[in-house]
Amino acid sequence: MSDANVVKLLQPGSFTDPLTEVLRNGARALLAQAVEAEVAEFLAKHVDLKTATGLSRVVRHGHLPAREVMTGIGPVGVRQPRVRDRGAAAAMASASASRPRSCRPTRGALGAWRC
């Protein structure tokens, strides 16, 4: 048996043909567009919320690190926008300021304190 008729198979996720790369880039652009539209809708819904100083309470805050989403043509890298609620930090600070210094939050339950 000769090596002339042996065909090496590609590993999953490693495509070399141009059509697959075009599809992957299209999927990446489509996912990015959908995520950006969802974030824009969320921000528009909360545009009337303001902090005590009059700034917008819910704002964009950069992007999370890129991660891969599995699609039918293999993994596609996507960057997720980060949204920040400025009022939540102020609420947590005022809640913790009203407790004695000896109180600490417990690890398991949210909002539970151990004094």
Side-chain angles (χ1 to χ4, degrees), residues 7-111:
V7 177
K8 184 174 180 177
L9 298 176
L10 292 175
Q11 296 297 321
S14 63
F15 297 100
T16 57
D17 63 314
L19 178 60
T20 304
E21 288 304 315
V22 168
L23 291 173
R24 182 174 285 153
N25 289 336
R28 183 179 298 119
L30 187 64
L31 283 171
Q33 186 179 11
V35 169
E36 290 291 337
E38 187 175 342
V39 169
E41 179 184 344
F42 179 79
L43 291 174
K45 189 189 316 183
H46 295 92
V47 72
D48 57 337
L49 295 175
K50 303 288 182 188
T51 63
T53 58
L55 297 173
S56 295
R57 183 173 163 175
V58 181
V59 294
R60 285 191 58 130
H61 189 63
H63 286 85
L64 293 171
R67 63 181 187 169
E68 290 188 342
V69 175
M70 185 57 72
T71 64
I73 58 171
V76 175
V78 178
R79 288 181 52 194
Q80 178 183 355
R82 185 181 297 192
V83 177
R84 179 174 171 221
D85 183 0
R86 293 178 179 170
M92 288 296 290
S94 65
S96 62
S98 65
R99 291 184 173 76
R101 286 184 158 247
S102 61
C103 289
R104 292 177 290 200
T106 61
R107 283 191 166 183
L110 292 174

